[in-house]
Amino acid sequence: LVRLVESGGGSAQTGGSLRLSCAATGYGYSTTCMTWLREISGEPREGVATIDVDGGRTLYSDSVKGRFTISRDNAKNLLYLQMNSLQVEDTAMYYCAARRSCYDGSWREPSSHNVWGYGTQVTVSS
């Protein structure tokens, strides 16, 4: 079972950048598709970026496409989210999560994930 711990959150100015990391421990990380999800205050949690097991395929929500990049290092059991051109609307708690299946098209749904980190807060101010 994979265990996940996020880091790298914090505060940034509009237009700035942050890089989130997610450290995975336990068996199975390198064979698990992974997602970054976020929860904006008062809104449902939803996926913003997902990646397949070898990093060859990535998908993004429209709200972050072109600004965020998801990547992974299987040798180090790490998942990343590079966030550029940050906007106030990106303020949220960010979670990394393991997908139940790489073949489930509902990657943006929290229910498609079965292992979660504790989250890391990102706050963007103007």
Side-chain angles (χ1 to χ4, degrees), residues 6-54:
E6 302 93 337
S7 61
S11 298
Q13 297 284 323
T14 301
S17 298
L18 285 172
R19 188 173 84 155
L20 306 183
S21 298
C22 173
T25 58
Y27 176 78
Y29 172 74
S30 63
T31 59
T32 303
C33 289
M34 300 293 296
T35 302
W36 284 100
L37 301 95
R38 71 184 182 187
E39 186 169 334
I40 297 171
S41 180
E43 299 182 15
R45 191 177 301 185
E46 63 179 9
V48 296
T50 194
I51 190 167
D52 67 0
V53 297
D54 62 5

Coordinates of all heavy atoms in Angstrom, one line a residue, residues 6-54:
E6 N 2.8 15.2 1.0 CA 3.0 16.3 0.1 C 3.9 17.4 0.9 O 3.9 17.4 2.1 CB 1.7 17.1 -0.2 CG 0.7 16.2 -1.0 CD -0.3 15.6 0.0 OE1 0.0 15.4 1.2 OE2 -1.4 15.2 -0.5
S7 N 4.6 18.2 0.1 CA 5.4 19.3 0.6 C 5.5 20.3 -0.5 O 5.2 20.1 -1.7 CB 6.8 18.8 1.0 OG 7.5 18.3 0.0
G8 N 6.0 21.5 -0.1 CA 6.2 22.5 -1.1 C 5.2 23.6 -1.2 O 5.4 24.6 -2.0
G9 N 4.1 23.5 -0.5 CA 3.1 24.6 -0.5 C 3.6 25.8 0.2 O 4.7 25.8 0.8
G10 N 2.9 26.9 0.1 CA 3.2 28.1 0.7 C 2.5 29.3 0.1 O 1.5 29.1 -0.5
S11 N 3.1 30.4 0.2 CA 2.6 31.6 -0.4 C 3.3 32.1 -1.6 O 4.5 31.9 -1.7 CB 2.6 32.7 0.7 OG 1.8 32.4 1.8
A12 N 2.6 32.7 -2.5 CA 3.2 33.2 -3.7 C 2.4 34.5 -4.2 O 1.2 34.6 -3.8 CB 3.3 32.2 -4.8
Q13 N 3.1 35.3 -5.0 CA 2.4 36.4 -5.6 C 1.8 36.0 -6.9 O 2.3 35.0 -7.5 CB 3.4 37.6 -5.8 CG 4.0 38.1 -4.5 CD 3.1 39.0 -3.8 OE1 2.3 39.7 -4.4 NE2 3.1 39.0 -2.5
T14 N 0.8 36.7 -7.3 CA 0.3 36.5 -8.7 C 1.4 36.5 -9.7 O 2.2 37.4 -9.7 CB -0.8 37.6 -9.0 OG1 -1.8 37.5 -8.0 CG2 -1.4 37.3 -10.4
G15 N 1.4 35.5 -10.6 CA 2.4 35.4 -11.6 C 3.6 34.6 -11.2 O 4.5 34.3 -12.0
G16 N 3.7 34.3 -9.9 CA 4.8 33.5 -9.4 C 4.7 32.0 -9.6 O 3.8 31.6 -10.3
S17 N 5.7 31.3 -9.0 CA 5.7 29.9 -9.2 C 5.9 29.2 -7.9 O 6.5 29.7 -6.9 CB 6.9 29.5 -10.1 OG 6.7 30.1 -11.4
L18 N 5.5 27.9 -7.8 CA 5.7 27.0 -6.7 C 5.9 25.6 -7.3 O 5.3 25.3 -8.3 CB 4.6 27.0 -5.7 CG 4.5 28.2 -4.8 CD1 3.2 28.1 -4.0 CD2 5.6 28.3 -3.8
R19 N 6.6 24.8 -6.6 CA 6.7 23.4 -7.0 C 6.3 22.5 -5.8 O 6.9 22.6 -4.8 CB 8.1 23.0 -7.5 CG 8.1 21.6 -8.1 CD 9.4 21.2 -8.7 NE 10.3 20.7 -7.8 CZ 11.3 19.8 -8.1 NH1 11.5 19.4 -9.3 NH2 12.2 19.5 -7.2
L20 N 5.3 21.7 -6.0 CA 4.8 20.8 -5.0 C 5.5 19.4 -5.2 O 5.7 19.0 -6.4 CB 3.3 20.6 -5.0 CG 2.5 21.9 -4.9 CD1 1.0 21.5 -4.9 CD2 2.8 22.7 -3.8
S21 N 5.8 18.8 -4.1 CA 6.3 17.4 -4.2 C 5.4 16.5 -3.4 O 4.8 16.9 -2.5 CB 7.7 17.4 -3.6 OG 8.6 18.2 -4.4
C22 N 5.5 15.2 -3.8 CA 4.7 14.2 -3.1 C 5.6 13.0 -3.0 O 6.0 12.4 -4.0 CB 3.4 13.9 -3.9 SG 2.5 12.5 -3.2
A23 N 6.0 12.6 -1.7 CA 6.8 11.5 -1.5 C 6.0 10.3 -1.2 O 5.1 10.3 -0.4 CB 7.8 11.8 -0.3
A24 N 6.3 9.2 -1.9 CA 5.5 8.0 -1.8 C 6.4 6.9 -1.1 O 7.5 6.7 -1.5 CB 5.1 7.5 -3.2
T25 N 5.8 6.2 -0.2 CA 6.5 5.1 0.5 C 5.5 3.9 0.4 O 4.3 4.0 0.3 CB 6.8 5.4 1.9 OG1 5.6 5.7 2.6 CG2 7.7 6.5 2.1
G26 N 6.2 2.7 0.4 CA 5.4 1.5 0.3 C 5.4 0.9 -1.1 O 5.9 1.5 -2.0
Y27 N 4.8 -0.2 -1.2 CA 4.8 -1.0 -2.4 C 3.9 -0.4 -3.5 O 2.7 -0.1 -3.1 CB 4.5 -2.5 -2.2 CG 4.4 -3.3 -3.4 CD1 5.5 -3.8 -4.0 CD2 3.1 -3.6 -4.0 CE1 5.5 -4.6 -5.1 CE2 3.1 -4.4 -5.1 CZ 4.2 -4.9 -5.7 OH 4.2 -5.6 -6.8
G28 N 4.3 -0.3 -4.7 CA 3.4 -0.1 -5.8 C 3.4 1.3 -6.4 O 2.7 1.5 -7.4
Y29 N 4.2 2.2 -5.9 CA 4.1 3.6 -6.5 C 4.4 3.6 -8.0 O 3.7 4.2 -8.8 CB 5.1 4.5 -5.8 CG 5.3 5.8 -6.5 CD1 4.2 6.8 -6.4 CD2 6.4 6.1 -7.2 CE1 4.3 8.0 -7.0 CE2 6.5 7.4 -7.9 CZ 5.5 8.3 -7.8 OH 5.6 9.5 -8.4
S30 N 5.5 2.9 -8.4 CA 5.9 2.9 -9.8 C 4.9 2.3 -10.8 O 5.0 2.4 -12.0 CB 7.3 2.3 -10.0 OG 7.2 0.9 -9.7
T31 N 3.9 1.6 -10.2 CA 2.9 1.0 -11.1 C 1.5 1.6 -10.9 O 0.5 1.0 -11.3 CB 2.8 -0.5 -10.8 OG1 2.5 -0.7 -9.4 CG2 4.1 -1.2 -11.1
T32 N 1.5 2.8 -10.3 CA 0.3 3.5 -10.0 C 0.2 4.8 -10.7 O 1.1 5.6 -10.7 CB 0.2 3.7 -8.5 OG1 0.3 2.5 -7.8 CG2 -1.1 4.4 -8.1
C33 N -0.9 5.0 -11.4 CA -1.2 6.4 -12.0 C -1.5 7.3 -10.8 O -2.2 6.9 -9.9 CB -2.3 6.3 -13.0 SG -1.9 5.4 -14.5
M34 N -1.0 8.6 -11.0 CA -1.1 9.5 -9.9 C -1.8 10.8 -10.3 O -1.7 11.2 -11.5 CB 0.3 9.8 -9.3 CG 1.0 8.7 -8.8 SD 0.3 8.0 -7.3 CE 0.5 9.3 -6.2
T35 N -2.4 11.5 -9.4 CA -3.2 12.7 -9.7 C -2.9 13.8 -8.6 O -2.7 13.4 -7.4 CB -4.7 12.5 -9.7 OG1 -5.0 11.5 -10.7 CG2 -5.5 13.7 -10.0
W36 N -2.8 15.0 -9.0 CA -2.9 16.1 -8.1 C -4.3 16.7 -8.1 O -4.8 16.9 -9.2 CB -1.9 17.2 -8.5 CG -0.5 17.0 -8.2 CD1 0.5 16.5 -9.0 CD2 0.2 17.1 -6.9 NE1 1.7 16.4 -8.4 CE2 1.5 16.8 -7.1 CE3 -0.3 17.6 -5.6 CZ2 2.4 16.8 -6.0 CZ3 0.6 17.6 -4.6 CH2 2.0 17.2 -4.8
L37 N -4.9 16.8 -7.0 CA -6.2 17.3 -6.8 C -6.1 18.6 -5.9 O -5.2 18.7 -5.1 CB -7.2 16.3 -6.2 CG -7.4 15.0 -7.0 CD1 -6.5 13.9 -6.5 CD2 -8.9 14.6 -7.0
R38 N -7.1 19.4 -6.0 CA -7.1 20.6 -5.1 C -8.6 20.8 -4.6 O -9.5 20.5 -5.3 CB -6.6 21.8 -5.8 CG -7.5 22.4 -6.9 CD -6.7 23.6 -7.6 NE -7.5 24.3 -8.6 CZ -7.1 25.2 -9.4 NH1 -5.8 25.6 -9.3 NH2 -7.9 25.8 -10.3
E39 N -8.6 21.5 -3.5 CA -9.9 21.8 -2.9 C -9.8 23.3 -2.6 O -9.2 23.7 -1.6 CB -10.1 21.0 -1.6 CG -11.5 21.2 -1.0 CD -11.8 20.2 0.0 OE1 -11.3 19.1 0.0 OE2 -12.6 20.5 0.9
I40 N -10.6 24.1 -3.4 CA -10.7 25.5 -3.1 C -11.8 25.6 -2.1 O -12.8 24.9 -2.1 CB -11.1 26.2 -4.5 CG1 -9.9 26.0 -5.5 CG2 -11.4 27.7 -4.2 CD1 -10.3 26.5 -6.9
S41 N -11.6 26.6 -1.2 CA -12.6 26.8 -0.1 C -14.0 26.9 -0.6 O -14.3 27.7 -1.5 CB -12.2 28.0 0.7 OG -13.1 28.2 1.8
G42 N -14.9 26.0 -0.1 CA -16.3 26.1 -0.5 C -16.6 25.4 -1.7 O -17.8 25.4 -2.1
E43 N -15.7 24.7 -2.4 CA -15.9 24.0 -3.6 C -15.5 22.6 -3.5 O -14.7 22.2 -2.6 CB -15.1 24.7 -4.8 CG -15.5 26.1 -5.0 CD -14.8 26.7 -6.2 OE1 -14.2 25.9 -7.0 OE2 -14.8 27.9 -6.3
P44 N -16.1 21.7 -4.3 CA -15.7 20.3 -4.3 C -14.2 20.1 -4.7 O -13.7 20.8 -5.5 CB -16.6 19.6 -5.3 CG -17.7 20.6 -5.5 CD -17.1 21.9 -5.3
R45 N -13.6 19.1 -4.1 CA -12.3 18.7 -4.5 C -12.3 18.1 -5.9 O -13.2 17.4 -6.3 CB -11.7 17.6 -3.5 CG -10.3 17.3 -3.6 CD -9.8 16.3 -2.6 NE -10.1 16.8 -1.2 CZ -9.7 16.1 -0.1 NH1 -9.1 14.9 -0.3 NH2 -10.0 16.5 1.1
E46 N -11.3 18.5 -6.7 CA -11.3 18.0 -8.1 C -9.8 17.9 -8.6 O -9.0 18.6 -8.1 CB -12.1 18.9 -9.0 CG -11.6 20.3 -9.1 CD -12.4 21.2 -10.1 OE1 -13.5 20.7 -10.5 OE2 -12.0 22.3 -10.4
G47 N -9.6 17.0 -9.5 CA -8.3 16.8 -10.1 C -7.9 17.9 -11.0 O -8.7 18.4 -11.8
V48 N -6.6 18.3 -11.0 CA -6.1 19.3 -11.9 C -5.1 18.7 -12.8 O -4.8 19.3 -13.9 CB -5.5 20.5 -11.1 CG1 -6.6 21.2 -10.3 CG2 -4.4 20.1 -10.2
A49 N -4.4 17.6 -12.4 CA -3.4 17.0 -13.3 C -3.2 15.5 -12.9 O -3.2 15.2 -11.8 CB -2.1 17.7 -13.2
T50 N -3.1 14.7 -14.0 CA -2.8 13.3 -13.7 C -1.7 12.8 -14.6 O -1.5 13.4 -15.7 CB -4.1 12.5 -13.9 OG1 -4.0 11.2 -13.4 CG2 -4.5 12.4 -15.4
I51 N -1.1 11.7 -14.2 CA 0.1 11.2 -15.0 C 0.0 9.6 -15.0 O -0.4 9.0 -13.9 CB 1.4 11.7 -14.4 CG1 2.6 11.4 -15.3 CG2 1.6 11.2 -13.0 CD1 3.8 12.2 -14.9
D52 N 0.4 9.0 -16.1 CA 0.4 7.6 -16.1 C 1.7 7.0 -15.4 O 2.5 7.8 -14.9 CB 0.3 7.0 -17.5 CG 1.5 7.4 -18.4 OD1 2.4 8.0 -17.9 OD2 1.4 7.0 -19.6
V53 N 1.9 5.7 -15.4 CA 2.9 5.1 -14.6 C 4.3 5.4 -15.0 O 5.2 5.5 -14.1 CB 2.7 3.5 -14.5 CG1 1.4 3.2 -13.9 CG2 2.9 2.9 -15.9
D54 N 4.6 5.7 -16.2 CA 5.9 6.0 -16.6 C 6.1 7.5 -17.0 O 7.2 7.9 -17.5 CB 6.4 5.1 -17.8 CG 5.6 5.3 -19.0 OD1 4.7 6.2 -19.1 OD2 5.8 4.5 -20.0

